[in-house]
C-alpha cells in the first residue's frame, strides 16, 4: 500500500512538474557538456517583425550543373568523374593542412598557437543536384551511410574524424548539390574533448554509458521521440538548444560508425528518411540544418567505453520557412536560451508525415 501510494505521489508530482515546465521559465542541463539552457516557453508568443530569410516554401533546387556535379570542372582545374553513386575527393580549400610548424608560446599563456593539421574531404551523396536525403531512395541513403563508415575507418590514423553536413544557404552551405564534409584532425576538437570528459565522468560515477541510459529513459517517457526504428531512435533532446534539434542514437552500445551491422545500416536509412521528411514537411521547404556525427576518438592510449555514437542535427528555423533563430545578445554573452519547449518541438514534428514528402503528388 505504501509503495503504491509512493508511486502515485511520484507520478502526480511528475505530471505537475511537467506542466510547470511547459509554461514557466526554467533551466535544463546538457549532460554532454555540463552547460545549462534557459527555456522560456511564453516568449514564443511574442510578435516578430525582424529579419526574414529569402528562402520560402518549396525545395528551391536547381537542375543546373554545379562544380560538384559529375563531369564538372572545379575551381582548381580538376574534373570530376562521371560518378553514379557517392563521390569523395580532397577539399580544394582545406581548413586543415600538413605542417611542420612548431607550437608558439611566449610563456605567459596569453599568446599561444599550435599547428592545425589534418585532411579535409568533400563527399557528394548522389550525382543528382535536384534532390536531398529525404528524397533519395533507401538504397541511396544506405550508400551514403556505408561511405561514412568507410571514411571513418580509412581516416582513423588521425586523432579524430568529423563528418558533418551543412544543408541550405541559411547555415552557410556554399553549394546546393547534396554533399557533406569530412575533416580529419591531428588533435581532439573542443566539443569532442568536452563530450569525452562528461561521458567518462558519468561512467565513473554510475557504472553505465550516459547516452545508453538516456535513450532507454526517453523510450519509456515517449515525450520527445520523433522517430523510432528497430535499432535507432531520433529524439528532441531534453536540453535542446535549437528549436527543432534532434539527437540520433543507436539502441545498442556502439563506439564508431564503422561498427554498424548490416541491419543497423538499413534501419538507420529508414529512420533518416522519415525524420528528414518530417523536417521538410514542417514548414513545406527544404529544411536547413547542420548535422554532425560524434564518435569515439581514435587515440589508443585509453579505453573509450564511455563513448556512444550519436548524431546531432541543429536546424535554425523557428516559426516558418523564413524566420530563423538568431544566436545573439544574451546567448552570445551569457547563456543559451530557447523559447519553444523540446516537448512542443517533438509534438510539432510528430504531427508531420514521415512517409509522404510534401512535394509528392500522390
Amino acid at each position: 500500500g505504501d509503495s503504491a501510494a509512493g508511486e502515485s505521489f511520484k507520478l502526480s508530482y511528475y505530471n505537475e512538474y511537467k506542466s510547470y515546465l511547459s509554461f514557466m521559465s526554467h533551466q535544463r542541463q546538457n549532460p554532454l557538456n555540463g552547460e545549462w539552457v534557459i527555456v522560456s516557453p511564453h516568449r514564443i508568443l511574442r510578435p516578430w517583425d525582424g529579419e526574414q530569410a529569402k528562402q520560402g516554401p518549396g525545395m528551391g533546387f536547381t537542375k543546373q550543373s554545379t562544380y560538384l556535379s559529375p563531369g564538372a570542372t572545379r575551381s582548381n582545374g580538376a574534373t570530376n568523374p562521371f560518378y553514379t553513386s557517392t563521390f569523395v575527393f580532397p577539399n580544394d580549400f582545406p581548413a586543415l593542412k600538413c605542417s611542420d610548424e612548431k607550437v608558439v608560446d611566449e610563456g605567459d599563456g596569453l599568446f599561444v598557437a599550435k599547428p592545425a593539421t589534418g585532411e579535409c574531404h568533400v563527399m557528394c551523396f548522389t550525382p543528382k543536384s535536384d534532390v536531398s536525403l529525404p528524397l533519395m531512395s533507401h538504397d541511396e541513403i544506405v550508400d551514403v551511410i556505408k561511405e561514412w563508415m568507410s571514411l571513418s575507418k580509412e581516416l582513423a590514423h588521425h586523432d579524430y574524424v568529423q563528418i558533418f553536413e551543412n544543408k541550405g544557404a541559411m547555415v552557410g552551405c556554399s553549394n546546393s548539390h547534396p554533399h557533406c564534409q569530412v575533416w580529419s584532425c591531428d588533435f581532439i576538437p573542443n566539443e569532442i574533448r568536452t563530450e569525452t570528459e562528461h561521458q567518462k565522468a558519468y561512467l565513473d560515477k554510475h557504472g553505465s554509458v550516459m547516452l545508453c541510459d538516456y535513450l532507454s529513459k526517453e523510450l519509456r517517457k515517449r515525450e520527445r521521440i520523433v522517430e523510432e526504428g528497430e535499432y535507432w531512435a531520433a529524439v528532441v533532446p531534453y536540453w535542446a538548444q535549437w528549436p527543432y534539434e534532434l539527437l540520433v542514437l543507436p539502441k545498442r552500445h556502439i563506439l564508431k560508425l564503422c561498427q554498424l551491422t548490416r541491419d543497423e545500416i538499413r534501419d538507420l536509412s529508414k529512420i533518416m528518411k522519415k525524420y528528414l521528411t518530417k523536417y521538410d514537411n514542417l514548414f513545406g521547404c527544404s529544411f536547413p540544418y547542420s548535422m554532425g556525427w560524434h564518435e569515439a576518438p581514435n587515440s589508443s592510449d585509453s579505453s573509450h567505453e564511455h563513448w556512444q555514437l550519436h548524431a546531432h542535427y541543429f536546424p535554425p528555423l523557428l516559426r516558418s520557412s523564413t524566420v530563423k533563430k538568431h544566436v545573439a545578445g544574451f546567448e552570445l554573452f551569457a547563456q543559451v536560451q530557447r523559447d519553444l519547449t523540446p516537448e512542443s518541438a517533438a509534438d510539432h514534428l510528430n504531427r508531420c508525415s514521415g512517409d509522404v514528402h510534401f512535394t509528392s503528388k500522390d
Side-chain angles (χ1 to χ4, degrees):
D2 291 342
S3 177
E7 289 302 314
S8 177
F9 173 78
K10 288 180 182 178
L11 180 61
S12 174
Y13 176 80
Y14 177 65
N15 287 334
E16 182 178 341
Y17 185 61
K18 280 198 302 180
S19 176
Y20 159 78
L21 294 184
S22 69
F23 66 89
M24 293 295 292
S25 295
H26 61 280
Q27 298 181 72
R28 301 188 186 192
Q29 188 175 36
N30 181 344
L32 279 171
N33 59 24
E35 296 183 357
W36 291 85
V37 178
I38 299 172
V39 184
S40 312
H42 58 284
R43 280 174 54 83
I44 197 66
L45 300 176
R46 75 189 193 280
W48 180 262
D49 193 28
E51 181 199 36
Q52 297 206 24
K54 293 180 180 179
Q55 170 177 309
M59 295 303 288
F61 292 137
T62 175
K63 291 190 177 183
Q64 295 178 348
S65 176
T66 75
Y67 67 80
L68 296 182
S69 299
T73 299
R74 304 200 303 274
S75 59
N76 65 350
T79 300
N80 299 332
F82 286 92
Y83 61 95
T84 58
S85 181
T86 58
F87 169 51
V88 179
F89 64 92
N91 195 314
D92 298 330
F93 300 93
L96 308 174
K97 293 184 178 182
C98 295
S99 173
D100 294 326
E101 297 297 322
K102 305 299 181 182
V103 173
V104 175
D105 188 348
E106 296 187 6
D108 54 11
L110 299 176
F111 304 94
V112 182
K114 60 182 178 181
T117 61
E119 299 179 72
C120 296
H121 292 85
V122 175
M123 172 187 158
C124 298
F125 295 155
T126 171
K128 295 175 284 189
S129 294
D130 58 344
V131 299
S132 57
L133 283 168
L135 295 175
M136 291 166 59
S137 70
H138 287 299
D139 288 341
E140 289 173 323
I141 298 174
V142 164
D143 288 341
V144 170
I145 297 168
K146 287 182 176 179
E147 191 65 64
W148 286 339
M149 294 170 64
S150 296
L151 290 166
S152 171
K153 187 173 183 179
E154 292 168 8
L155 297 166
H157 55 283
H158 294 284
D159 290 342
Y160 191 74
V161 178
Q162 179 62 66
I163 297 171
F164 64 96
E165 177 194 5
N166 289 329
K167 181 193 175 198
M170 192 178 285
V171 294
C173 182
S174 61
N175 191 295
S176 61
H177 191 99
H179 71 286
C180 70
Q181 296 189 53
V182 185
W183 291 16
S184 307
C185 312
D186 295 329
F187 54 91
I188 304 299
N190 295 341
E191 295 297 323
I192 306 309
R193 186 171 62 250
T194 300
E195 286 196 3
T196 296
E197 292 169 354
H198 282 80
Q199 289 180 92
K200 187 177 186 307
Y202 185 94
L203 179 67
D204 291 344
K205 181 177 181 179
H206 299 279
S208 53
V209 178
M210 176 197 290
L211 291 179
C212 292
D213 287 355
Y214 173 69
L215 180 59
S216 176
K217 293 181 179 181
E218 284 285 18
L219 290 172
R220 288 201 300 271
K221 293 176 181 294
R222 309 210 69 83
E223 297 167 0
R224 289 167 290 272
I225 299 294
V226 171
E227 201 59 60
E228 181 184 2
E230 185 175 357
Y231 301 101
W232 292 85
V235 56
V236 178
Y238 180 75
W239 54 84
Q241 171 184 352
W242 295 92
Y244 293 97
E245 182 176 328
L246 284 179
L247 179 65
V248 180
L249 290 160
K251 291 185 177 180
R252 75 175 176 98
H253 185 204
I254 305 175
L255 302 184
K256 303 179 77 64
L257 278 164
C258 60
Q259 298 172 345
L260 298 182
T261 66
R262 186 176 183 177
D263 288 339
E264 286 166 341
I265 295 169
R266 294 295 303 180
D267 193 54
L268 178 57
S269 76
K270 291 177 182 177
I271 76 156
M272 276 180 64
K273 188 173 176 67
K274 285 178 176 290
Y275 64 68
L276 293 177
T277 296
K278 288 183 176 182
Y279 262 177
D280 282 5
N281 285 344
L282 182 65
F283 295 132
C285 68
S286 183
F287 203 76
Y289 58 74
S290 286
M291 180 281 293
W293 280 103
H294 279 178
E295 58 181 11
N298 295 317
S299 57
S300 58
D301 56 346
S302 62
S303 169
H304 294 295
E305 287 303 305
H306 50 279
W307 254 94
Q308 173 70 331
L309 174 70
H310 58 281
H312 295 285
Y313 283 81
F314 299 151
L317 292 183
L318 174 60
R319 296 167 178 250
S320 69
S321 63
T322 61
V323 177
K324 67 177 181 178
K325 171 185 173 69
H326 291 267
V327 178
F330 187 90
E331 291 194 68
L332 277 180
F333 302 112
Q335 185 171 323
V336 169
Q337 181 270 337
R338 65 176 288 132
D339 298 344
L340 188 70
T341 66
E343 295 74 32
S344 293
D347 180 62
H348 293 178
L349 288 169
N350 283 327
R351 292 173 184 269
C352 300
S353 173
D355 299 313
V356 180
H357 195 272
F358 77 90
T359 59
S360 173
K361 297 179 180 180
D362 295 337

